[in-house]
Amino acid sequence: MKIGIHLPQWGQDATRDGVLAVAQAAEACGFDSVWVADHVVIPVTSETKYPYMDGGTPFEPNDGFLEAFTTLAIVAGATQRIRVGTSVLVMPMRDPVLTAKVTATLDVLSGGRLVLGIGTGWWREEFEALSATFEGRGSRMDEQIQLMRALWTGRSVEFHGTHYDVRPVFCRPAPTRAGGPPILVGGMSTAAMRRAAHLGDGWHAVGASPERIVAEREKLAKFAEQAGRSIDQIPISVSTGVSQDIKRTVARLQGLAEAGVELAVMAVSSNTTSAIIAEVEQISQQLNLVADSA
């Protein structure tokens, strides 16, 4: 199983030095990838509940929040091997043509290292701040995936959908890899799993336990069959919070690997550079990641 780590995106260590220190430590320690989440603004007041915590969010408005693609561009320029990814990009609050251009550029300039985890999003108030419609975001994202894949071919593209209408255009340069960056569809809903099977290059099970992964595999296999695919063609990745107790962290990673997860993206409970790097170094030593990547 490959292992990635979230970069510090908010708080006092969300700086150039902090981000690059974590990214370079992860690369040196044999990690597969570094990851960012996606928020553009933080609403001061919100009636929407954060789905991954009981009350509140892991960050405050005054913490700031580094923009996803800008952060990955800086990291890609300061590293050589490690993949860079979004976990997850909130696609329906972004324009798909502009996003196709930005992601293709980032993929080219990183040497084909971009992985695009995407989701429908949950924060209605953030959508409103960006003048994006919250309702219908799932069907909108379906079209966005199709439109971006078409634009990534580098050929002339004309698209006429329910939500997007594009006259013939070119979007070049095309990404480094044929088909563009892998798209991991994030989310634990039935709709997300169906979307991953029909339109994605993998299912990104946000916050799922090993037990939940095992329980959902049959459903994912059914959706894959409906799409004319095998479940083996839809790799499972997970974003998971981990404690600073190394034994508990290793046990969780081992459990995810046994459940069939191919990539685990870790988010350390502390968002400080020192805590994240300490976790990276301990995981590397425990799992011999440097030796495995040599």
Side-chain angles (χ1 to χ4, degrees):
M1 183 177 72
K2 298 176 180 178
I3 301 175
I5 189 84
H6 271 279
L7 296 168
Q9 263 184 288
W10 65 89
Q12 63 180 13
D13 284 3
T15 63
R16 174 184 171 86
D17 289 345
V19 166
L20 293 185
V22 170
Q24 290 167 346
E27 183 167 66
C29 287
F31 273 55
D32 167 76
S33 45
V34 290
W35 298 77
V36 293
D38 180 33
H39 287 292
V40 178
V41 295
I42 308 300
V44 175
T45 60
S46 174
E47 296 182 3
T48 309
K49 302 300 181 184
Y50 182 56
Y52 305 110
M53 287 178 60
D54 293 328
T57 63
F59 44 82
E60 299 294 334
N62 290 336
D63 287 338
F65 204 99
L66 296 175
E67 194 278 326
F69 289 134
T70 314
T71 303
L72 294 183
I74 292 292
V75 168
T79 55
Q80 298 297 320
R81 173 196 59 81
I82 202 162
R83 296 195 297 168
V84 296
T86 56
S87 175
V88 294
L89 187 78
V90 184
M91 270 303 307
M93 68 181 188
R94 291 177 177 262
D95 177 82
V97 177
L98 178 58
T99 302
K101 181 66 171 184
V102 172
T103 51
T105 300
L106 181 52
D107 189 69
V108 167
L109 295 182
S110 68
R113 288 186 280 151
L114 179 62
V115 182
L116 198 61
I118 64 173
T120 56
W122 60 273
W123 210 341
R124 177 185 291 271
E125 288 83 358
E126 186 175 16
F127 273 70
E128 292 172 351
L130 294 168
S131 300
T133 304
F134 191 71
E135 286 75 16
R137 62 196 187 281
S139 62
R140 213 158 63 245
M141 193 167 82
D142 289 346
E143 282 193 16
Q144 290 176 322
I145 294 172
Q146 298 170 57
L147 177 52
M148 287 196 302
R149 287 196 192 279
L151 292 166
W152 285 339
T153 65
R155 298 190 293 270
S156 175
V157 171
E158 183 174 3
F159 187 91
H160 303 290
T162 302
H163 304 285
Y164 300 99
D165 192 80
V166 179
R167 295 182 180 182
V169 295
F170 286 99
C171 185
R172 294 177 175 171
T176 301
R177 291 158 293 181
I183 294 178
L184 311 181
V185 177
M188 295 304 299
S189 68
T190 297
M193 296 177 68
R194 182 185 295 110
R195 185 172 292 115
H198 284 262
L199 297 173
D201 298 306
W203 174 43
H204 194 54
V206 180
S209 66
E211 294 77 16
R212 180 74 183 274
I213 294 294
V214 171
E216 298 288 11
R217 283 186 65 87
E218 184 175 345
K219 185 187 296 183
L220 184 64
K222 177 182 177 181
F223 290 140
E225 183 179 2
Q226 292 173 354
R229 305 170 72 184
S230 162
I231 191 173
D232 295 334
Q233 295 175 287
I234 308 168
I236 300 173
S237 56
V238 170
S239 64
T240 180
V242 293
S243 72
Q244 294 181 49
D245 181 330
I246 190 63
K247 291 183 179 179
R248 291 179 61 187
T249 296
V250 170
R252 184 169 187 82
L253 292 174
Q254 291 173 338
L256 290 170
E258 292 168 1
V261 171
E262 296 188 21
L263 167 68
V265 179
M266 303 189 310
V268 180
S269 56
S270 171
N271 196 47
T272 64
T273 298
S274 58
I276 299 173
I277 291 177
E279 190 84 13
V280 164
E281 291 174 343
Q282 288 179 321
I283 290 293
S284 175
Q285 292 168 3
Q286 289 287 321
L287 302 182
N288 298 314
L289 293 183
V290 172
D292 288 346
S293 66

